[in-house]
């Protein structure tokens, strides 16, 4: 029986440590994933190794040991890459032709959370169907290996270097050109895994680096989600050092947020939008993003006569849609950039390189680039999840806004030419997200308040 305190979604399993997420739970799910991945690998006649890595969270070393033992116990060899980023882990799965990957990270969640992220042999997070198939072993019973068939452990200390080399080898990243600009860059690692990765990348790109909170001990000095309201220290650092751009990452370094040269946090939606702008100069094709991403991405795509395709929230959903439509770039408005030429996963180091490439090509301050495009107000609200189904809220919203275009791929998104509202249950927290965007705060706030009003009736 699944503990209701666990959050189970396409993002894996998450919980508060000691309250739903315990070493016993971690061992059970890790063993189930290992047995599932090994069985599928044997059917394909391919390697039965699992790549294992973690972010910097305080509980990471404990769960790392538990997970490694659980994988060995089902006969999986373990390729341990230690403290790392989620995109590095995904690339390592592909590099080793592994049966899968397992990341110990709760991404942007607060310090008391941790999680397991399950990655398939293609380097993508498990689909909903794959996840259900794997989790069935938790209830049915995990087939453990006998004493002479246990897995072995191998260590790979080169995964981060390979990741950065792959980013710098992208054909439209002009490494020499970026180096010639000697950009002054500020960076806030929030004591996540990025402290051991992003400064190295910036140095390889010839930047003068001013960084804070590089200690990868997981003792976050602020809420770890890199949204604008959490980036006060980075904004101050940009102003103090005269940096031309400021970067912030979440603990597992798949999300990237920006502060412009004036010291203003411009919002994480701009990361994908600006990355899209530079990629479309070199590659023409579709752009994919999720239903909760700002229209600024549409504006950047329209500049190049390209369409934007929407997918349900969740990295794997966007990645699968990108594969289906042969997109040249995609991602999510939370600061996640996905480039198929690198891999089908959100990648903050990639985002850093693309933003510096754009600044090199444009030869103008980031603040001026942002000013060239319409400004929208996006409001991201969240409420406790009601006990009753959300269908009644969806129906009432559609009745109230009959002129809107409705998308029901993931909750309900109602869209107009200059605004939209999206209501959906979160896959990572026990909440309902209400996100709206409009040409000004009044328009966006009105849509959010309507959603709150309808949700209150279900409480």
């Amino acid at each position: 029986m699944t503990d209701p305190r666990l959050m189970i979604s396409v993002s894996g399993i998450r919980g508060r440590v000691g309250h739903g997420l315990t070493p016993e739970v971690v061992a059970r799910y890790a063993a189930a994933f290992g047995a599932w991945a090994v069985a599928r690998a044997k059917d394909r006649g391919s390697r039965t190794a699992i790549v294992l890595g973690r972010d910097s969270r305080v509980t990471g070393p404990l769960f790392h040991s538990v997970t490694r033992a659980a994988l060995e116990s089902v006969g999986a060899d373990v390729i341990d890459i230690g403290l790392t980023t989620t995109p590095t882990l995904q690339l390592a799965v592909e590099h080793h032709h592994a049966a899968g990957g397992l990341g110990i990270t709760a991404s942007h969640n607060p310090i008391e959370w941790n999680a397991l992220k399950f990655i398939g042999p293609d380097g993508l997070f498990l689909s909903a169907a794959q996840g259900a198939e794997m989790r069935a072993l938790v209830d049915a019973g995990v087939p453990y290996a006998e004493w002479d068939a246990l897995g072995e452990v191998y260590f790979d200390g080169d995964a981060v270097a390979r990741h950065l080399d792959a980013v710098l080898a992208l054909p439209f990243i002009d490494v020499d050109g970026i180096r010639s600009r000697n950009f002054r860059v500020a960076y806030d690692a929030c004591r996540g895994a990025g402290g051991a990765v992003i400064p190295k990348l910036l140095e390889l790109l010839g930047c003068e680096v001013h960084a804070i909170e590089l200690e990868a001990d997981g003792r976050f000095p602020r809420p770890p989600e890199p949204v604008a309201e959490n980036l006060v220290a980075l904004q101050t650092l940009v102003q103090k050092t005269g940096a031309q751009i400021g970067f912030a990452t979440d603990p597992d370094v798949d999300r990237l947020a920006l502060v412009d040269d004036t010291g203003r946090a411009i919002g994480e939606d701009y990361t994908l939008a600006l990355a899209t702008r530079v990629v479309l100069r070199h590659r023409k094709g579709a752009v994919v993003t999720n239903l909760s991403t700002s229209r600024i991405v549409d504006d950047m795509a329209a500049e190049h006569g390209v369409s934007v395709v929407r997918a349900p929230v969740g990295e794997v959903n966007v990645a699968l849609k990108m594969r289906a439509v042969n997109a040249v770039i995609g991602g999510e408005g939370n600061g996640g950039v996905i480039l198929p030429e690198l891999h089908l996963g959100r990648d903050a180091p990639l985002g850093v390189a693309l933003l510096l490439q754009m600044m090199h090509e444009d030869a103008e301050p980031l603040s001026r680039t942002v000013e060239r495009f319409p400004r929208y107000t996006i409001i991201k609200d969240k409420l406790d999840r009601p006990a009753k189904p959300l269908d009644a809220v969806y129906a009432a919203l559609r009745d109230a806004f009959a002129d809107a275009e409705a998308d029901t791929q993931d909750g309900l998104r109602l869209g107009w030419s200059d605004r939209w509202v999206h209501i959906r249950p979160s896959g990572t927290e026990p909440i309902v997200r209400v996100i709206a965007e409009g040409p000004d705060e009044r328009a966006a706030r009105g849509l959010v308040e309507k959603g709150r009003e309808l949700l209150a009736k279900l409480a």
Side-chain angles (χ1 to χ4, degrees):
M1 185 91 177
T2 301
D3 189 325
R5 295 173 296 178
L6 286 178
M7 301 297 301
I8 299 176
S9 71
V10 292
S11 298
I13 65 163
R14 300 188 187 208
R16 290 181 175 88
V17 177
H19 300 274
L21 195 74
T22 63
E24 179 186 17
V25 169
V26 168
R28 188 163 66 246
Y29 276 91
F33 172 71
W36 175 84
V38 165
R40 288 169 60 95
K42 286 180 177 177
D43 288 342
R44 296 191 303 269
S46 55
R47 191 175 186 185
T48 58
I50 305 292
V51 181
L52 175 64
R54 66 173 178 88
D55 72 11
S56 67
R57 287 175 182 269
V58 175
T59 54
L62 167 65
F63 289 139
H64 191 102
S65 297
V66 170
T67 300
R68 188 166 63 194
L71 293 172
E72 291 177 77
S73 75
V74 295
D77 290 335
V78 179
I79 301 172
D80 193 340
I81 63 174
L83 178 69
T84 194
T85 78
T86 291
T88 303
L89 179 62
Q90 292 175 289
L91 280 165
V93 170
E94 296 183 48
H95 173 80
H96 289 289
H97 304 288
L102 209 162
I104 305 165
T105 170
S107 190
H108 65 277
N109 286 64
I111 194 169
E112 67 269 20
W113 289 70
N114 214 328
L116 298 180
K117 287 186 175 182
F118 305 111
I119 299 168
D122 54 1
L124 274 65
F125 292 119
L126 301 191
S127 68
Q130 290 173 323
E133 184 180 298
M134 180 274 291
R135 290 192 300 272
L137 289 177
V138 175
D139 296 324
V142 175
Y144 288 97
E146 296 186 1
W147 70 272
D148 57 350
L150 300 176
E152 298 183 2
V153 178
Y154 306 89
F155 294 94
D156 173 10
D158 298 323
V160 168
R162 288 196 306 270
H163 182 181
L164 298 185
D165 286 346
V167 170
L168 297 180
L170 290 168
F172 44 80
I173 300 297
D174 180 2
V175 174
D176 290 337
I178 296 172
R179 284 175 176 162
S180 71
R181 300 295 303 279
N182 301 120
F183 288 120
R184 184 180 295 117
V185 177
Y187 173 56
D188 177 6
C190 194
R191 296 180 177 251
V197 179
I198 300 298
K200 177 63 174 176
L201 174 63
L202 293 172
E203 290 167 4
L204 290 170
L205 287 169
C207 298
E208 178 186 320
V209 183
H210 300 270
I212 55 175
E213 308 299 350
L214 294 181
E215 301 86 348
D217 60 9
R219 298 188 180 279
F220 310 137
R222 58 166 174 79
E225 188 168 17
V227 294
E229 56 265 31
N230 295 338
L231 303 183
V232 174
L234 179 60
Q235 293 178 93
T236 300
L237 182 64
V238 168
Q239 294 171 334
K240 179 180 177 180
T241 61
Q244 291 149 289
I245 190 169
F247 294 119
T249 51
D250 63 338
D252 68 327
V253 202
D254 59 358
R255 293 172 58 176
L256 178 71
L258 310 176
V259 170
D260 71 15
D261 51 288
T262 70
R264 179 183 62 167
I266 63 176
E268 65 272 28
D269 284 279
Y270 271 89
T271 304
L272 174 60
L274 295 170
T276 295
R277 185 169 183 256
V278 68
V279 169
L280 290 177
R281 291 172 177 169
H282 302 270
R283 302 283 187 272
K284 289 295 184 288
V287 177
V288 175
T289 190
N290 70 33
L291 293 165
S292 287
T293 295
S294 171
R295 285 188 53 82
I296 190 63
V297 175
D298 299 73
D299 293 333
M300 299 291 180
E303 186 182 31
H304 295 273
V306 170
S307 62
V308 174
V309 179
R310 301 274 169 174
V313 173
E315 178 179 327
V316 68
N317 297 322
V318 174
L320 291 173
K321 181 68 76 171
M322 290 177 68
R323 179 184 286 173
V325 303
N326 197 28
V328 297
I329 189 172
E332 300 186 286
N334 57 12
V337 180
I338 304 175
L339 186 74
E341 285 185 59
L342 184 63
H343 68 121
L344 281 171
R346 298 182 308 193
D347 193 308
L350 164 70
V352 167
L354 288 174
L355 265 293
L356 293 175
Q357 177 67 26
M358 186 198 73
M359 291 170 61
H360 168 55
E361 292 179 1
D362 290 354
E364 68 178 9
L366 177 60
S367 57
R368 189 171 302 167
T369 300
V370 171
E371 288 171 359
R372 296 180 184 279
F373 294 89
R375 290 290 291 178
Y376 301 99
T377 297
I378 187 166
I379 296 176
K380 300 180 180 183
D381 202 355
K382 54 187 178 182
L383 303 170
D384 290 338
R385 187 178 298 184
K388 299 177 183 178
L390 294 173
D391 293 348
V393 172
Y394 300 153
L397 275 170
R398 295 185 73 163
D399 288 343
F401 300 112
D403 60 328
E405 179 180 346
D407 191 315
T408 58
Q409 292 183 81
D410 181 10
L412 176 68
R413 184 185 192 271
L414 298 176
W416 297 266
S417 61
D418 64 346
R419 67 196 69 194
W420 55 269
V421 61
H422 188 198
I423 295 182
R424 59 179 290 274
S426 171
T428 58
E429 299 176 70
I431 58 173
V432 174
R433 297 194 185 278
V434 183
I435 303 176
E437 183 177 54
D440 52 48
E441 183 173 357
R442 180 180 178 184
R445 182 71 62 186
L447 291 171
V448 167
E449 290 304 322
K450 186 64 175 179
R452 290 180 64 95
E453 173 190 331
L454 294 173
L455 279 166
K457 293 180 180 179
L458 291 181

